[in-house]
Amino acid sequence: MEALPRDTIVDVLEERLREDILAGRHPVGSLLPPERRLADGYGVTRTTLKHAFGRLVQAGLLETRHGVGTRVRDFARLGGADLLPMLIRHSPDWIGEIFEVRRSIGALIAERAAERATPAHRAELAVRLAEVRAAEGGEGVQLADIEVHRALARATGNRVYVLLTNTLFNAYLPVRAALVSPFTDPESAYRRLEPVVAAVTAADRAAARAAAEEYLTETERLMMDGLRKKEEG
Amino acid sequence: MEALPRDTIVDVLEERLREDILAGRHPVGSLLPPERRLADGYGVTRTTLKHAFGRLVQAGLLETRHGVGTRVRDFARLGGADLLPMLIRHSPDWIGEIFEVRRSIGALIAERAAERATPAHRAELAVRLAEVRAAEGGEGVQLADIEVHRALARATGNRVYVLLTNTLFNAYLPVRAALVSPFTDPESAYRRLEPVVAAVTAADRAAARAAAEEYLTETERLMMDGLRKKEEG
DNA sequence: AGTGGTTGAGTGGCTGAGCCACTGGACCAC
DNA sequence: GTGGTCCAGTGGCTCAGCCACTCAACCACT
């Protein structure tokens, strides 16, 4: 069982500051109020506020300069893909765009994997795929499913594809996890993944690309349907 | 002129901790020494250490649990593409892999841009391209060059491509900036970019992809050559 | 023996007061 | 004008201390 620590004050404060920034209450390019005043306003110590600031600076949302102040960065223009999880939480309309990119890159990865997977990579793919079918519990299936995609990315022989896969997963996984079927049914997950792994294992680039595209298109459709139903219900 | 604030203690400490982690002196999955001891070891206050910790947690390198300790995350398996800048600083052999991905995604972006750029997007591309030629000073050319790529990403109509472009740029830009020619000569930069913009403006998908691929292959060659020379010299 | 509650050492979370270092505009002397 | 000085306001950092949480050892009762 996974221990679930409850949010700390810094977590809450960070989230609130982030929300205030993303909502434009602290406009891009503007100087935030001084730390002492802001800390007072949020009812926390300056030290605590600075911890939250530190994270937001790291995330690329803020920029502090000694003796001057703290400025809101133009994250929409300059930010990296690691902003996606917070952007999607603030406005879910990003999901369509994320998924288009996921589809293109997923196809790219499958093609490269088919081209360059070593025997060891193929063996790992087989294992990961089997684990999907054998997984118990909805959460287990989802985790096993992700491992198949990580293995596909690893099979390209290019570690950057693994990182990219993680970035995109981090962006839309919380959304996906909120839906139930069909990501939690072992047999259904297995059936949808199998053709991709088969094509990669067969070293058939075109088939791998096509299978990945089909899989990801289907996944997108399932997610969008699930979201729509959730909205209505 | 850009003000260049010198590193703060937290910056230095963060870098040192990061280096210790990436070098495996704090193995993945292991528990770090307690904050009090570690702070003492680095000769800083616990508060300062915690500020550095906060950033590394945000970056996905550490994981703290109240009452237990701070653990080193398996960033190679679970990390996102935002880790690239620090990974490349620690071991430059990432650059080849980064550039392969940049090439594939750059081609993808050019193709999508050719497919979907609006008249407004085309106008912006023309402006950005002209700015490259008109830029003065090596740094100015490099910045203008980046703006062309951002404009290309924007022209896809998908904001995720912009974020992805930024992520990859952030990864290898420091390396590129260390080289001199040909990224600092306005005329040479213009000549290399022009065919890509022309193909996108002409809405010719295949030509756009081909031009982008050629541009990026050439860029990679120039960077690798530059690095090799630097190594020798 | 087995079960369940209690305790305490060790850990990170957070505070508040205080001093230091930097920036930039106002002011002054020339 | 020009250049220098000053100072109010800002973020950087420290310190000492208390709080909250976790886990394993221990104990009391069955």
Side-chain angles (χ1 to χ4, degrees):
Chain A
M1 197 43 59
E2 192 65 19
L4 238 296
R6 82 173 209 289
D7 282 359
T8 68
I9 295 187
V10 178
D11 290 333
V12 176
L13 181 59
E14 178 197 353
E15 182 59 33
R16 197 158 151 201
L17 279 165
R18 205 212 309 276
E19 182 60 26
D20 284 347
I21 292 167
L22 293 180
R25 278 187 287 277
H26 298 304
V28 164
S30 72
L31 220 47
L32 252 52
E35 295 184 350
R36 295 167 225 269
R37 187 139 57 86
L38 207 51
D40 201 54
Y42 283 114
V44 299
T45 317
R46 197 172 145 228
T47 315
T48 304
L49 182 83
K50 283 175 82 59
H51 274 110
F53 267 25
R55 298 196 198 171
L56 295 172
V57 167
Q58 174 73 25
L61 257 56
L62 296 179
E63 198 173 17
T64 68
R65 281 180 57 195
H66 195 172
V68 180
T70 301
R71 200 172 287 281
V72 180
R73 285 221 327 160
D74 188 354
F75 50 90
R77 262 191 79 252
L78 306 171
D82 49 308
L83 292 177
L84 282 171
M86 66 177 78
L87 289 173
I88 205 176
R89 225 179 321 149
H90 180 256
S91 56
D93 58 320
W94 280 86
I95 198 166
E97 293 171 50
I98 293 175
F99 224 89
E100 186 207 322
V101 173
R102 167 70 188 137
R103 201 164 358 107
S104 300
I105 293 184
L108 199 57
I109 288 176
E111 194 175 355
R112 290 275 187 287
E115 190 181 337
R116 300 195 294 221
T118 65
H121 286 137
R122 283 169 211 188
E124 195 204 348
L125 274 171
V127 171
R128 298 299 181 199
L129 185 59
E131 283 175 357
V132 170
R133 205 175 204 169
E136 291 181 13
E139 202 176 341
V141 176
Q142 300 217 14
L143 291 177
D145 179 302
I146 295 174
E147 288 307 326
V148 172
H149 288 97
R150 289 216 179 96
L152 277 167
R154 264 195 297 276
T156 63
N158 185 326
R159 295 167 292 177
V160 178
Y161 281 121
V162 179
L163 301 182
L164 229 45
T165 301
N166 285 338
T167 296
L168 293 173
F169 259 123
N170 291 339
Y172 70 72
L173 210 62
V175 176
R176 190 181 114 161
L179 311 173
V180 207
S181 65
F183 305 111
T184 52
D185 173 45
E187 207 52 45
S188 135
Y190 174 83
R191 254 204 320 278
R192 293 169 54 241
L193 279 168
E194 192 274 336
V196 182
V197 173
V200 167
T201 306
D204 185 338
R205 288 176 53 175
R209 162 177 282 277
E213 248 160 18
E214 189 181 332
Y215 166 83
L216 289 166
T217 305
E218 175 72 1
T219 302
E220 182 174 10
R221 196 183 62 69
L222 289 169
M223 279 184 60
M224 290 309 194
D225 281 359
L227 282 178
R228 210 169 306 123
K229 264 190 206 126
K230 253 204 152 176
E231 229 164 62
E232 291 167 0
Chain B
M1 198 44 56
E2 190 65 18
L4 238 297
R6 83 172 211 291
D7 282 359
T8 67
I9 295 187
V10 178
D11 290 333
V12 176
L13 181 60
E14 178 197 353
E15 181 59 33
R16 198 158 150 201
L17 278 165
R18 204 212 307 277
E19 182 60 26
D20 284 348
I21 293 167
L22 294 180
R25 278 187 287 277
H26 299 303
V28 163
S30 72
L31 220 46
L32 253 51
E35 295 186 350
R36 296 168 227 269
R37 187 140 57 86
L38 207 52
D40 201 54
Y42 283 114
V44 298
T45 317
R46 203 175 138 222
T47 314
T48 304
L49 182 84
K50 283 175 80 60
H51 275 110
F53 267 25
R55 297 196 199 170
L56 295 172
V57 167
Q58 173 72 26
L61 256 55
L62 296 180
E63 199 172 16
T64 70
R65 281 181 56 195
H66 194 172
V68 180
T70 302
R71 200 172 287 281
V72 179
R73 287 222 325 160
D74 188 353
F75 51 89
R77 262 191 79 253
L78 305 172
D82 49 307
L83 292 177
L84 284 171
M86 66 176 78
L87 290 173
I88 204 176
R89 227 179 320 149
H90 180 254
S91 56
D93 58 321
W94 279 86
I95 198 168
E97 292 171 51
I98 292 174
F99 224 90
E100 186 207 322
V101 172
R102 166 71 188 138
R103 201 164 358 107
S104 300
I105 292 184
L108 199 56
I109 287 176
E111 194 174 357
R112 290 275 188 284
E115 191 181 338
R116 300 195 294 220
T118 65
H121 286 137
R122 285 171 209 185
E124 195 204 345
L125 274 172
V127 171
R128 298 299 180 198
L129 185 60
E131 282 174 357
V132 170
R133 204 176 206 169
E136 292 180 15
E139 202 177 339
V141 176
Q142 299 217 17
L143 292 177
D145 180 303
I146 295 174
E147 287 308 325
V148 172
H149 288 97
R150 289 216 178 94
L152 277 167
R154 265 195 296 276
T156 63
N158 186 326
R159 295 167 293 178
V160 178
Y161 281 121
V162 179
L163 301 183
L164 228 46
T165 301
N166 284 338
T167 296
L168 292 174
F169 260 123
N170 291 341
Y172 70 72
L173 211 62
V175 176
R176 188 181 117 162
L179 312 174
V180 206
S181 64
F183 304 112
T184 52
D185 172 45
E187 206 53 44
S188 136
Y190 174 83
R191 253 203 320 279
R192 293 168 55 242
L193 279 168
E194 193 274 335
V196 182
V197 174
V200 168
T201 305
D204 185 337
R205 288 176 53 176
R209 165 177 280 276
E213 248 160 18
E214 189 181 332
Y215 166 83
L216 290 166
T217 305
E218 175 72 1
T219 302
E220 182 174 10
R221 197 182 61 70
L222 290 169
M223 278 183 60
M224 291 308 194
D225 280 359
L227 281 178
R228 209 168 307 122
K229 264 189 208 129
K230 251 204 154 175
E231 228 165 63
E232 292 168 0

